[in-house]
């Protein structure tokens, strides 16, 4: 599951050759946003490098903005969705791509000759909507590593659809838009919200009673499914209103006028976790504020860092975390070196002429010492984890996968810490903190003190002993061999023995 990002990237390449859409999609809004449980993406259309493109900023689970990047030359997005740790973007030509920690991956359309108009995430899956060459509605879904597109068995007059948006609410998938509906009182037409939703593998179409004078901005978080819109006021747009969805009658109901000043310019709405956010794009740049459904109120707007690079506070936190980790590690090593020198001086003073033969350390003592050492390494690693992947603990407890890029980075850092800690501690003192507590140490096969060369060989090959997991190979080597040596001990010609006072 952690390699789902790689699978989707492979699916991009295998999606097949695209066919150009016969009609270009309607121009997308200059501001868009999409979020999931952990991240929120703010996207603004912009000319990048003199070509149509976009800029986006990512807000992580800690509320920081670790990434601001651009989609140079890829075109203006037609639809987008926050998919795990990446931004899934569809373009008017039908192409789509992934933007995130790694280099962008762009590929042809997963559906031949279609025009994408809306998208949303569904956990590990993703959904997209569009129109085919004949104008029929298409639902494309990415699941189990591949895309599958089908015509929707529901009547949608796609020529009348304006400002479509997709959203996942509870166990249902919605496509919401506005369309003109004739009135009997005069020649003018009303702008009404309309939508289709999928429930128990069946599509249902609803024409809402909600009259709007702007694009219906929809988002869902927890038990709230809301629609933000401008209320008609004669020939003009009225105030911003908020409506909530009720499954009892399958329709939106006006909750009231939205309190709080909203900056002039394009507006978008998105969720992150269980919180809804309102985005605005005044002349000075995009801003973000919390949206309270119960109070029908918007909070204070704060700037969104869209320039590259962003996330300076996160960078400072990472530097502080790394410095703290290095200081903790250096302190433990110095303590072990000091204790080693004190022990050696004590042995020299004692002047023991004949040293008793070494007694091999029991498997229980070695296991307990290893547990203590790995707990200490975990303490060193914790600040780095919180700096690089602050949502890792919550995801781990929920059993959710972590992006493979971050997992690879964390694993490399862990392996480096393991080799460095054991090599320095055993090379300088013959034992780690765990071994010192359990009264065991590492010596050469001849009974002499371990050398630095032996320490390096013994602990670099520790990576082999860990295979395939939980030191199974090393454990087998200890149990089979006559002297209780793991693979690293055999290469380095060392023994783990009871420490002589």
């Amino acid at each position: 599951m952690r390699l789902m990002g790689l699978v989707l990237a492979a699916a991009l390449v295998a999606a097949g050759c695209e066919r150009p859409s016969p009609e270009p999609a309607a121009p997308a809004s200059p501001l868009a946003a999409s979020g999931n449980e952990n991240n929120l993406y703010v996207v603004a259309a912009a000319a990048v490098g003199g070509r149509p493109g976009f800029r986006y900023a990512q807000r992580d689970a800690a509320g920081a903005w670790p990434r601001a990047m651009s989609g140079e030359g890829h075109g203006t997005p037609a639809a987008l969705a926050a998919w795990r740790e990446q931004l899934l973007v569809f373009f008017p030509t039908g192409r789509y791509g992934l933007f995130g920690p790694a280099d962008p991956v762009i590929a042809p359309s997963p559906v031949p000759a279609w025009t994408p108009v809306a998208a949303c995430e569904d956990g590990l899956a993703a959904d997209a909507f569009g129109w085919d060459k004949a104008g029929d509605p298409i639902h494309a879904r990415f699941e189990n590593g591949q895309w599958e597109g089908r015509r929707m068995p529901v009547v949608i007059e796609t020529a009348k659809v304006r400002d479509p948006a997709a959203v996942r609410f509870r166990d249902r998938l919605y496509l919401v838009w506005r369309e003109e509906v004739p009135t009997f009182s005069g020649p003018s037409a009303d702008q009404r919200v309309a939508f289709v939703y999928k429930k128990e593998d069946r599509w249902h179409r609803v024409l809402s009673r909600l009259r709007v004078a702007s694009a219906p901005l929809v988002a869902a978080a927890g038990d709230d499914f809301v629609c933000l819109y401008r209320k008609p006021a004669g020939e003009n747009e009225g105030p911003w209103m908020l409506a909530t969805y009720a499954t009892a009658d399958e329709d939106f109901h006006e909750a009231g006028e939205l309190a709080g000043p909203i900056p002039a310019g394009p507006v978008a709405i998105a969720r992150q976790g269980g919180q809804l956010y309102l985005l605005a794009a005044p002349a000075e740049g995009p801003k973000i504020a919390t949206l309270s459904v119960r109070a029908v109120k918007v909070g204070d707007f704060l700037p969104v860092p869209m320039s590259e690079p962003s996330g300076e506070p996160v960078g400072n936190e990472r530097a502080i975390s790394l410095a703290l980790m290095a200081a903790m590690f250096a302190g433990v090593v110095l303590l072990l070196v000091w204790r080693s020198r004190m022990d050696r001086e004590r042995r020299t003073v004692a002047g023991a002429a004949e040293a008793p033969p070494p007694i091999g350390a029991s498997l229980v003592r070695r296991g307990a010492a290893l547990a203590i050492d790995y707990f200490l390494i975990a303490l060193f690693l914790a600040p780095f984890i919180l700096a690089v992947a602050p949502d890792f603990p919550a995801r781990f407890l929920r059993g959710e996968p972590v992006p493979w890029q971050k997992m690879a980075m964390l694993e490399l850092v862990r392996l480096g810490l393991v080799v460095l800690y054991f090599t320095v501690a055993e090379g300088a003192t013959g034992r780690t903190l765990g071994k010192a507590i359990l009264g065991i140490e590492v010596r050469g096969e001849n009974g002499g003190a371990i050398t630095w060369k032996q320490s390096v060989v013994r602990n670099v090959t520790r990576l082999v002993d860990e295979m395939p997991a939980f030191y199974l190979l090393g454990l087998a080597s200890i149990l089979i061999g006559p002297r209780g040596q793991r693979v690293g001990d055999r290469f380095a010609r060392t023994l783990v023995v009871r420490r002589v006072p």
Side-chain angles (χ1 to χ4, degrees), residues 176-248:
V176 184
W177 67 91
R178 63 167 169 160
E179 67 177 51
E180 288 189 354
V181 178
T183 61
F184 296 101
S185 58
S188 62
D190 281 341
Q191 295 283 339
R192 299 266 290 276
V193 172
F195 57 92
V196 294
Y197 66 92
K198 187 177 183 181
K199 178 183 179 183
E200 297 177 353
D201 294 328
R202 293 187 60 186
W203 288 96
H204 306 266
R205 189 184 191 281
V206 176
L207 179 62
S208 173
R209 296 185 294 269
L210 201 63
R211 298 173 58 245
V212 299
S214 68
L217 307 176
V218 293
D223 294 330
D224 297 318
F225 180 16
V226 302
C227 176
L228 184 67
Y229 64 98
R230 282 191 179 274
K231 191 173 184 178
E235 298 296 328
N236 302 317
E237 293 182 341
W240 284 104
M241 306 294 293
L242 189 69
T244 57
Y245 187 81
T247 55

Side-chain angles (χ1 to χ4, degrees), residues 8 120 182 250 366 457:
L8 181 54
C120 67
E250 306 295 355
R366 295 179 68 171
V457 173

Side-chain angles (χ1 to χ4, degrees), residues 323-473:
L324 178 61
M325 182 173 61
M328 292 172 59
F329 185 83
V332 173
V333 171
L334 289 176
L335 177 62
L336 292 173
V337 171
W338 176 77
R339 288 195 58 180
S340 175
R341 288 182 177 178
M342 294 293 293
D343 289 344
R344 288 176 181 176
E345 291 177 1
R346 187 165 58 249
R347 292 179 186 178
T348 302
V349 173
E354 296 182 0
I359 303 174
S362 67
L363 191 59
V364 174
R365 284 178 179 267
R366 295 179 68 171
L370 186 67
I372 293 173
D373 290 326
Y374 267 79
F375 177 76
L376 184 62
I377 291 173
L379 294 180
F380 296 152
L381 192 59
F384 184 83
I385 292 176
L386 295 178
V388 175
D391 60 333
F392 178 82
R395 286 192 168 207
F396 179 80
L397 293 176
R398 292 196 300 263
E400 297 179 358
V402 178
W404 67 268
Q405 297 96 333
K406 291 186 178 180
M407 283 301 302
M409 181 186 299
L410 293 176
E411 181 62 12
L412 287 175
V413 173
R414 185 195 72 83
L415 293 175
L417 275 177
V418 167
V419 173
L420 182 63
Y421 169 76
F422 281 95
T423 299
V424 174
E426 293 178 354
T429 69
R431 57 187 179 274
T432 61
L433 182 63
K435 289 183 175 68
I437 293 175
L438 272 296
I440 60 178
E441 62 184 354
V442 182
R443 286 191 166 275
E445 289 183 343
N446 59 0
I450 183 176
T451 65
W452 279 101
K453 179 181 179 180
Q454 288 176 309
S455 181
V456 171
V457 173
R458 182 178 193 273
N459 290 296
V460 168
T461 53
R462 182 180 293 273
L463 308 182
V464 178
D465 284 291
E466 287 188 353
M467 297 174 62
F470 305 110
Y471 278 88
L472 292 180
L473 186 58

Side-chain angles (χ1 to χ4, degrees), residues 96 107 165 185 287 304 372 403 439 500:
Y96 76 118
S185 58
K287 296 185 176 182
V304 175
I372 293 173
V500 179

Side-chain angles (χ1 to χ4, degrees), residues 32-44:
S34 181
N36 53 29
E37 283 298 316
N38 299 294
N39 299 291
L40 186 147
Y41 293 88
V42 181
V43 181

